[in-house]
C-alpha cells in the first residue's frame, strides 16, 4: 500500500490525521464506514474538515500505523512521511493542487495558506485497490495538472521533480557529510530554561576550516554559551512558546545539527544555525536551509 493510501486509511480509522507543517484533517464522527463494504460511500458536505498549520508537528500515531502496515523500521517510515510533506509543500508553492484521493484537494491561496476542498466519495477497501491519480510524478505522491495542460507537459514535470530531489540530496550531503570532516570538537550542554542562547550536543556546521570569527561577529553578539563567536546565523524556525521551541530544539539536534535557541520577544522564541563562514556565504547558507527546513529563513548578524 502506498503512503498516500495509508494516510487516508489512518484518517478513516482514527477520525483525524496531521501532516507535518501542513495541517490536520478531521473526519466527522457521524460518518460511519462499514468494515465489510466494497462499495464507494458518498460523503456529505462538511464531513471532512481541514485546519491549516504550517508549524504542525509530526503525527506519531500515523508513523506507528505506517510501520505496522508497511513493515518498515520507524526511522525509515518517519523519513518517508517527512519527504511526502516536503514535496507536497513544494508543489503547492508552485501552484500545483495537492489531491489526496478519498479526502479532497489542497490549493495554496494568495494569503499563503492552504484552501481545502472536500472530496465526496470514499472507498473503505483502500487496501485492496490502487489509488486513482490524474498524474503520477513519483511513487508515493500524486498531483493533478490543470485541464488546460496536455500530456506533453508530463516529461517537464518529471524533470522538475528529479531536479528538486537532486538539489535536496546535494544540500543534505554538503551540510551533514562534506562539512563533517572539518567540524570543531563536539561539546555537550543541556537545555536551559531562560532566554540565553544555548549550545547543543552536535557537530558545528562550518564552510571553511580556516574561517575565523570577524570583529563584526564579536560586536553582534552571536555567541554560544561557551563564548564562541560566529560571523552570522540563519534563523529557520520561530515558535510561540518555550515548550514548542524546546521540543523542536530536541528534534532538530537529534538529526546532528548545531542549533542555537533564543527568545525573540516576550511571546516567541527562535531557532537558528550559526556559521563561521564569511558574510559572503549568507545567501548560499540561507537557500540551503530553506531546502532542508522549508519556511522563510533569514540572516541574523
Amino acid at each position: 500500500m502506498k503512503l498516500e493510501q495509508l494516510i487516508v486509511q489512518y484518517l478513516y480509522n482514527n477520525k483525524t490525521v496531521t501532516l507535518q507543517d501542513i495541517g490536520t484533517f478531521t473526519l466527522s464522527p457521524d460518518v460511519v464506514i462499514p468494515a465489510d463494504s466494497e462499495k464507494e460511500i458518498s460523503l456529505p458536505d462538511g464531513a471532512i474538515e481541514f485546519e491549516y498549520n504550517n508549524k504542525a508537528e509530526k503525527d506519531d500515531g500515523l508513523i506507528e500505523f505506517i510501520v505496522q502496515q508497511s513493515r518498515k523500521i520507524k526511522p525509515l517510515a518517519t523519513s518517508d512521511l517527512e519527504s511526502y510533506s516536503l514535496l507536497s509543500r513544494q508543489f503547492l508553492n508552485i501552484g500545483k493542487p495537492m489531491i489526496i484521493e478519498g479526502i479532497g484537494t489542497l490549493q495554496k491561496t494568495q494569503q499563503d495558506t492552504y484552501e481545502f476542498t472536500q472530496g465526496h466519495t470514499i472507498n473503505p477497501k483502500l487496501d485492496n485497490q490502487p489509488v486513482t491519480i490524474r498524474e503520477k510524478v513519483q511513487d508515493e505522491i500524486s498531483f493533478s495538472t490543470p485541464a488546460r495542460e496536455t500530456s506533453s507537459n508530463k516529461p517537464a514535470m518529471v524533470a522538475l521533480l528529479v531536479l528538486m530531489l537532486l538539489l535536496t540530496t546535494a544540500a543534505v550531503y554538503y551540510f551533514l557529510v562534506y562539512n563533517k570532516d572539518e567540524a570543531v570538537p563536539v561539546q555537550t550542554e543541556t537545555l536551559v530554561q531562560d532566554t540565553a542562547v544555548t549550545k547543543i550536543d552536535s557537530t558545528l556546521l562550518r564552510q571553511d576550516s580556516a574561517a575565523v570569527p570577524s570583529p563584526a561577529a564579536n560586536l553582534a553578539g552571536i555567541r554560544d554559551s561557551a563564548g564562541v563567536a560566529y560571523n552570522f546565523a540563519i534563523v529557520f524556525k520561530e515558535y510561540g512558546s518555550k515548550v514548542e521551541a524546546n521540543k523542536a530544539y530536541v528534534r532538530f539536534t537529534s538529526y546532528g545539527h548545531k542549533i542555537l535557541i533564543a527568545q525573540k520577544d516576550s511571546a516567541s522564541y527562535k531557532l537558528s544555525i550559526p556559521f563561521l563562514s564569511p558574510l559572503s556565504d549568507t545567501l548560499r547558507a540561507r537557500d540551503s536551509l530553506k531546502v532542508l527546513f522549508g519556511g522563510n529563513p533569514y540572516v541574523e548578524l
Side-chain angles (χ1 to χ4, degrees):
M1 184 181 294
K2 296 181 180 180
L3 180 61
E4 184 179 86
Q5 293 174 279
L6 292 174
I7 294 172
V8 176
Q9 191 66 61
Y10 183 78
L11 173 63
Y12 293 169
N13 294 343
N14 295 272
K15 304 300 183 181
T16 182
V17 63
T18 297
L19 298 183
Q20 186 174 350
D21 298 325
I22 293 178
T24 300
F25 296 93
T26 303
L27 178 65
S28 172
D30 297 332
V31 177
V32 178
I33 303 175
D36 57 351
S37 174
E38 297 184 359
K39 297 181 179 180
E40 290 188 346
I41 300 175
S42 297
L43 281 176
D45 291 336
I48 300 177
E49 296 182 352
F50 172 73
E51 181 180 356
Y52 169 71
N53 183 3
N54 63 352
K55 297 181 180 179
E57 300 289 342
K58 62 178 181 292
D59 191 326
D60 292 331
L62 174 59
I63 293 174
E64 292 296 335
F65 182 74
I66 294 172
V67 170
Q68 294 172 6
Q69 297 296 319
S70 66
R71 307 291 183 177
K72 294 181 178 180
I73 61 175
K74 188 172 182 179
L76 182 57
T78 301
S79 177
D80 288 346
L81 193 58
E82 289 178 347
S83 297
Y84 178 87
S85 175
L86 176 61
L87 289 174
S88 297
R89 298 196 310 274
Q90 288 176 343
F91 274 86
L92 286 166
N93 287 340
I94 62 175
K96 294 293 182 180
M98 174 185 177
I99 296 179
I100 307 178
E101 296 290 347
I103 295 181
T105 303
L106 287 179
Q107 181 78 50
K108 187 172 183 180
T109 67
Q110 294 181 350
Q111 290 74 36
D112 289 332
T113 61
Y114 300 149
E115 182 181 43
F116 175 63
T117 302
Q118 176 196 304
H120 290 88
T121 59
I122 61 175
N123 191 319
K125 292 294 183 180
L126 286 176
D127 53 341
N128 291 335
Q129 66 177 34
V131 173
T132 301
I133 58 177
R134 298 182 185 178
E135 178 183 358
K136 183 176 180 182
V137 294
Q138 69 143 10
D139 287 340
E140 295 183 350
I141 182 170
S142 61
F143 297 90
S144 69
T145 56
R148 65 179 180 274
E149 296 185 1
T150 64
S151 60
S152 62
N153 289 328
K154 291 182 179 180
M157 291 297 300
V158 173
L160 177 61
L161 177 61
V162 171
L163 179 59
M164 288 182 176
L165 291 176
L166 289 176
L167 290 175
T168 301
T169 301
V172 171
Y173 175 82
Y174 186 85
F175 280 97
L176 302 185
V177 179
Y178 179 79
N179 287 324
K180 188 174 182 180
D181 294 336
E182 300 180 351
V184 300
V186 176
Q187 299 182 18
T188 303
E189 181 175 311
T190 58
L191 283 173
V192 296
Q193 298 302 318
D194 55 27
T195 61
V197 175
T198 306
K199 188 177 185 303
I200 65 173
D201 181 11
S202 179
T203 301
L204 175 62
L205 295 176
R206 53 187 297 183
Q207 304 294 335
D208 186 350
S209 59
V212 297
S214 68
N218 296 330
L219 293 175
I222 301 178
R223 296 172 177 267
D224 60 18
S225 59
V228 178
Y230 299 91
N231 285 346
F232 65 92
I234 304 296
V235 178
F236 64 95
K237 290 288 184 181
E238 293 184 357
Y239 297 92
S241 71
K242 182 183 294 184
V243 173
E244 291 180 349
N246 282 344
K247 286 176 60 180
Y249 172 89
V250 172
R251 176 160 57 92
F252 289 125
T253 55
S254 68
Y255 298 155
H257 303 304
K258 176 178 179 62
I259 307 296
L260 300 180
I261 180 172
Q263 187 169 3
K264 181 180 180 182
D265 51 43
S266 61
S268 63
Y269 293 78
K270 59 186 178 182
L271 298 184
S272 63
I273 294 181
F275 291 84
L276 289 172
S277 306
L279 294 179
S280 59
D281 288 341
T282 55
L283 181 59
R284 180 176 62 176
R286 186 195 64 186
D287 292 343
S288 297
L289 293 187
K290 185 173 183 179
V291 172
L292 286 173
F293 299 104
N296 295 298
Y298 60 87
V299 178
E300 185 176 66
L301 300 176

